[in-house]
Amino acid sequence: CNYMKKESPIYVEDIYFCSFSSDEIKQYSDCPHMLSFDRRHDFLIDSSFAGIAAKVDLGNDRYCTSDDRGVRRRISITLVDHTSRCELATRYVKVNMPKDNPYKTIYELFPADEIDFRSEHTYGLVVCDETASTVIDEQIFHVYGQRELGMPADWYTVDCCGVRPDWKDSIYRSVDIERGGLNARVNVAQN
């Protein structure tokens, strides 16, 4: 998007992310709103990682004003790798919000077979109003881990009376686990 600042009648209310598995993408590709979006901004690349999904909630500034016009805009959603300093993918969406409609939600999927997500990289999701030629928001997220390491929950087993990592057999209050340069700490409650 061209970064000349013009006023946009829409704004980003919030951006949520989630990672998804290959099973989830098969099941929810036609209904991405069924994925488990939340406020996390750190994601693990593991053996089941199949990509990142974004949920963008847009707001209508013309709602509840004397302006009788609705909003029609062309929005771009761009995935940027800040570590490598490059754009990875851009999706364009036509947004139509009547004057009496305060919100619209957009869902975008960025599958790992199209995007080369790299461990230890910082990514940004940039939302632009192409009609006004302005950036209206950007959210940052991070990706860690390696596919071959698997899920951290696979690095230890829960045993009665404690946690038993693969290389020790004892009872712990907390366990520090290191795999391939990643560290995880498991805090164990008494029960």
Side-chain angles (χ1 to χ4, degrees), residues 101-146:
N101 184 3
Y103 302 107
K104 178 153 184 90
T105 300
I106 300 170
Y107 297 91
E108 289 299 331
L109 302 175
F110 297 97
D113 57 357
E114 294 175 19
I115 309 293
D116 183 21
F117 287 100
R118 295 176 181 248
S119 178
E120 309 297 324
H121 278 225
T122 298
Y123 295 91
L125 190 76
V126 181
V127 181
C128 293
D129 180 344
E130 293 290 326
T131 309
S133 300
T134 188
V135 174
I136 53 179
D137 201 2
E138 178 179 13
Q139 285 290 323
I140 302 294
F141 66 93
H142 310 277
V143 176
Y144 301 100
Q146 300 168 2

Side-chain angles (χ1 to χ4, degrees), residues 9-115:
I10 62 173
Y11 60 93
V12 173
E13 182 76 27
D14 218 335
I15 297 177
Y16 301 93
F17 297 103
C18 74
S19 61
F20 55 85
S21 67
S22 53
D23 291 339
E24 287 173 318
I25 193 64
K26 288 175 192 168
Q27 186 176 1
Y28 300 126
S29 62
D30 293 333
C31 48
H33 62 278
M34 300 291 288
L35 291 167
S36 299
F37 291 95
D38 56 30
R39 295 194 178 281
R40 285 181 302 146
H41 289 265
D42 297 305
F43 298 96
L44 181 68
I45 295 177
D46 62 8
S47 56
S48 66
F49 179 83
I52 298 287
K55 174 185 171 188
V56 180
D57 291 332
L58 298 174
N60 181 353
D61 264 344
R62 292 181 180 160
Y63 179 72
C64 288
T65 65
S66 60
D67 193 337
D68 288 338
R69 298 173 296 159
V71 174
R72 285 188 178 173
R73 294 286 161 175
R74 183 172 187 235
I75 302 298
S76 67
I77 298 174
T78 303
L79 182 63
V80 177
D81 183 338
H82 284 294
T83 306
S84 298
R85 298 182 182 191
C86 64
E87 290 183 7
L88 300 175
T90 301
R91 311 279 198 260
Y92 294 96
V93 180
K94 290 181 181 176
V95 173
N96 184 10
M97 299 169 74
K99 179 191 176 307
D100 59 347
N101 184 3
Y103 302 107
K104 178 153 184 90
T105 300
I106 300 170
Y107 297 91
E108 289 299 331
L109 302 175
F110 297 97
D113 57 357
E114 294 175 19
I115 309 293

